[in-house]
Amino acid sequence: MDKYGLTDSQLAVREGIRRFAAERIAPRAAQIDECDEFPTELFDELGKLGYLGAAIPTEYGGSALDMTSIALVLEEISRASGAVGSSYNAHIGLASTLIAEHGSSAQKQRYLPELASGRKLGGFGLTEPSGGSDAGHPQTRAVREGAVYRVNGSKAFNTNATVADVFVITADTGNGVSALILERGMPGFTIGAADRKMGMRGSPTAMLHFDDVQVPADHLVGPEGSGFRAFARTLDKGRIAVAALSVGLAAAALEASTAYARERQQFGRPIGAFQGVAFPIAEMATETEAARLLTLNVARMYDAGLPIKTEAAMAKYFAAEASLRACSHAIEILGGYGYLRDAPVERYYRDAKMYQIGEGTSQIQRMVIAREILGRDVLRFDLPSSPSKP
């Protein structure tokens, strides 16, 4: 009996991606980080195996996995490589999901088959140079002129920016926030150089610049002014994804620490025999398991159609913090070797730090949780999970 209560199909998904991650992703993880190059061939393989269409309905060539299965996939990929996990999530969890859940029939037919197969990769433009937490008031503007929108502004920290072909971005249309689909190569749409990051090397992020870009009006996702509510639900779901990615990194750190604590000898016995090493490992194991359970619980809630705002924020907040602590402990347990780039744990730490910031910072998650507990009349502020009215 599976202790997490997973179905046979969910177990099969987990075993399939675990095998692929161990055989194809993990052996490349250090090189991806060192070279800071996007692993195109791995994403080609993920596309052929159906993983790039995980969140896309079967009628558009997708796999239509439930959120619980997607969380399992994300954990296993991230456990093998944080960078691959980050880019994978940006493709399936943001661009693909917004079009699949809120796009028109024509938009779905045009974009989803190519996104599902991996012939095109997706990106999502939300954060701006001025900040990302106040997502309800973007500086990017989209003005309707007949059959087109003229888009001006910029977006920052866009995962997959240098390799994506299809972008869903948010812009102020004068009556609220709207979502628009942009394609690489549109006149006036330029992509900056890849950012030089502390971690997630090999998962490229860059600026998007819009200089009077003419976007056809039929590229509007949903009714005008409805974009905030559309991506607010997507971001709640995205917090489940980031929690799963964080669990994967924590699990990798725990595995590396445990192996080293068993093998490394000091004073005539394995260092795991000493409380200074054993207790941190016990803490890592407990917090990793708790984060996994929080994540699977909210994923099941999503699959059941239940509200997930509070639980998604809790899972993302706890998992991101637990992951960072686990990776920090791992470096300490490996000692000097943990600080060297020859060992993977310093990479885990650099990657884990991003999830304390991305998809809503830990501070934002605590504000969301507190507001849901105390009530909006006590805590009044606009957040990605609380659409503001124009």
Side-chain angles (χ1 to χ4, degrees):
M1 177 181 175
D2 175 69
K3 69 176 182 178
Y4 299 115
L6 301 175
T7 65
D8 289 343
S9 62
Q10 290 165 347
L11 287 169
V13 168
R14 186 181 66 181
E15 289 308 309
I17 192 61
R18 178 175 290 175
R19 185 165 51 250
F20 178 84
E23 295 175 358
R24 298 293 299 129
I25 300 177
R28 292 281 317 281
Q31 180 191 15
I32 291 168
D33 176 73
E34 183 69 27
C35 298
D36 197 9
E37 294 181 358
F38 181 78
T40 302
E41 70 285 356
L42 288 179
F43 277 79
D44 289 341
E45 293 180 48
L46 287 167
K48 291 176 182 177
L49 292 172
Y51 290 111
L52 293 187
I56 294 175
T58 55
E59 58 263 39
Y60 301 107
S63 302
L65 297 182
D66 59 25
M67 192 62 214
T68 304
S69 296
I70 290 174
L72 297 170
V73 171
L74 288 165
E75 178 183 337
E76 294 300 330
I77 292 178
S78 183
R79 185 176 182 175
S81 167
V84 175
S86 178
S87 281
Y88 176 76
N89 179 52
H91 173 81
I92 71 159
L94 297 174
S96 298
T97 294
L98 271 168
I99 296 173
E101 295 184 355
H102 303 284
S104 66
S105 177
Q107 289 169 349
K108 293 176 183 178
Q109 292 172 7
R110 178 174 179 176
Y111 295 110
L112 293 184
E114 292 190 307
L115 290 170
S117 68
R119 291 190 297 271
K120 290 187 176 180
L121 292 178
F124 180 57
L126 173 65
T127 300
E128 298 188 336
S130 58
S133 296
D134 190 10
H137 302 91
Q139 300 300 306
T140 299
R141 299 287 187 264
V143 178
R144 179 74 180 263
E145 294 184 0
V148 302
Y149 284 93
R150 289 189 179 274
V151 180
N152 287 279
S154 57
K155 299 291 181 178
F157 310 120
N158 301 276
T159 302
N160 292 348
T162 62
V163 295
D165 308 282
V166 179
F167 298 83
V168 179
I169 71 155
T170 60
D172 187 335
T173 47
N175 56 355
V177 182
S178 298
L180 293 160
I181 301 172
L182 273 66
E183 299 178 24
R184 175 185 292 272
M186 284 181 166
F189 175 25
T190 58
I191 300 169
D195 298 324
R196 298 178 63 193
K197 305 192 301 295
M198 169 184 174
M200 294 298 176
R201 293 166 51 84
S203 175
T205 65
M207 292 279 293
L208 306 180
H209 302 284
F210 318 116
D211 184 10
D212 217 25
V213 183
Q214 296 188 42
V215 180
D218 61 6
H219 283 218
L220 180 71
V221 180
E224 192 173 280
S226 69
F228 199 101
R229 293 186 179 278
F231 71 73
R233 175 68 171 172
T234 300
L235 291 180
D236 283 341
K237 182 180 179 181
R239 287 166 183 162
I240 306 175
V242 171
L245 292 165
S246 297
V247 171
L249 288 170
L254 174 62
E255 183 178 6
S257 299
T258 302
Y260 189 81
R262 287 172 173 161
E263 297 170 2
R264 177 69 167 172
Q265 297 279 327
Q266 287 288 287
F267 305 103
R269 46 185 171 158
I271 63 171
F274 301 96
Q275 289 184 357
V277 173
F279 282 12
I281 287 177
E283 293 170 11
M284 294 163 65
T286 301
E287 291 194 346
T288 300
E289 185 70 0
R292 181 180 291 116
L293 291 171
L294 278 170
T295 303
L296 290 175
N297 177 65
V298 69
R300 291 192 179 103
M301 290 177 63
Y302 182 90
D303 290 334
L306 298 172
I308 62 166
K309 186 177 300 176
T310 304
E311 290 78 9
M314 288 177 171
K316 195 275 181 185
Y317 165 61
F318 185 85
E321 296 293 327
S323 177
L324 195 59
R325 285 192 293 269
C327 295
S328 180
H329 281 318
I331 293 173
E332 294 171 6
I333 289 169
L334 270 69
Y337 294 107
Y339 197 68
L340 299 179
R341 298 193 69 174
D342 295 338
V345 292
E346 63 85 31
R347 168 165 49 87
Y348 301 156
Y349 182 88
R350 290 186 285 108
D351 289 348
K353 186 65 179 177
M354 196 272 278
Y355 293 133
Q356 197 182 42
I357 302 168
E359 202 78 33
T361 65
S362 289
Q363 290 83 355
I364 289 292
Q365 304 310 321
R366 284 179 284 195
M367 290 169 71
V368 171
I369 297 164
R371 184 187 58 194
E372 294 305 308
I373 294 171
L374 295 170
R376 295 171 186 247
D377 56 328
V378 175
L379 289 173
R380 298 177 61 85
F381 43 79
D382 295 328
L383 291 175
S385 57
S386 176
S388 57
K389 295 181 180 179

